[in-house]
Amino acid sequence: MEVKKALKRDIEEIAKIFHIESAKEPYLQKRTYKEAIKTINYHFRKADIYNVVIDNKIVGFIIVRLRYSNKDLYIDEFWLRSNYQRKGIGRYLMSFVEGKYKKMGVKSITLISGKKPGAAFGFYKKLKFKIVDNLVLMKRVLG
């Protein structure tokens, strides 16, 4: 298992993972493969993408970007193929990213996760992420 910085040629495989895994319970994100490609292309230009590779196959990825004078690392997306979850791979990828950016002076990592009991929320709690009480996600539906 190794972590590699994503290359342009990896975009389609990353988008495939994003499209398939984000459509599953509990996320149920409805996006086409074409939309997934567009999203990953956008992040490829604006953020850092790292793949976790096993036997020359991309099995997951994380998209991160620096904020607040490069002191906070924001996780935009973090996905593993479902058959590779709960095997320590996500923890390995997170540890890689944490170590790399800590050396660069990053002091914190921020992300948004759904509150529904699910693999992602539990995973972040195990990694000692805390709920930030002074932040609220707000939404207004335009009609």
Side-chain angles (χ1 to χ4, degrees):
M1 172 169 36
E2 65 180 316
V3 177
K4 296 181 176 181
K5 184 143 171 122
L7 303 173
K8 188 90 170 143
R9 69 174 184 242
D10 299 329
I11 289 175
E12 287 185 14
E13 192 61 28
I14 293 167
K16 189 183 301 178
I17 294 168
F18 184 47
H19 172 67
I20 292 168
E21 298 303 328
S22 66
K24 294 179 180 176
E25 285 279 352
Y27 314 107
L28 302 175
Q29 296 177 13
K30 294 176 176 24
R31 74 173 54 82
T32 65
Y33 176 67
K34 189 175 179 180
E35 290 169 332
I37 288 276
K38 185 177 178 181
T39 299
I40 299 303
N41 267 311
Y42 170 81
H43 286 302
F44 191 81
R45 291 188 309 274
K46 303 286 185 183
D48 293 330
I49 305 176
Y50 296 94
N51 300 327
V52 63
V53 179
I54 298 176
D55 297 328
N56 295 315
K57 179 181 180 180
I58 297 171
V59 301
F61 68 92
I62 190 168
I63 300 174
V64 298
R65 59 188 159 94
L66 292 168
R67 307 182 316 161
Y68 307 125
S69 301
N70 296 337
K71 297 299 180 200
D72 182 67
L73 187 69
Y74 185 78
I75 298 175
D76 281 297
E77 301 291 346
F78 189 174
W79 296 94
L80 292 177
R81 293 177 190 273
S82 55
N83 54 325
Y84 287 89
Q85 294 174 11
R86 300 187 182 277
K87 297 181 183 204
I89 298 166
R91 184 180 296 266
Y92 181 84
L93 181 54
M94 183 67 85
S95 178
F96 171 88
V97 167
E98 193 174 300
K100 178 177 183 57
Y101 287 90
K102 190 173 183 180
K103 287 178 189 171
M104 296 168 58
V106 168
K107 303 292 183 205
S108 61
I109 301 175
T110 304
L111 58 87
I112 295 174
S113 177
K115 280 186 177 180
K116 290 182 184 178
F121 186 77
F123 171 74
Y124 296 126
K125 293 283 283 184
K126 284 180 188 173
L127 293 178
K128 301 197 177 1
F129 279 82
K130 306 282 185 229
I131 295 171
V132 179
D133 291 332
N134 65 334
L135 296 178
V136 176
L137 179 64
M138 299 176 80
K139 177 179 180 178
R140 179 175 172 213
V141 177
L142 303 177

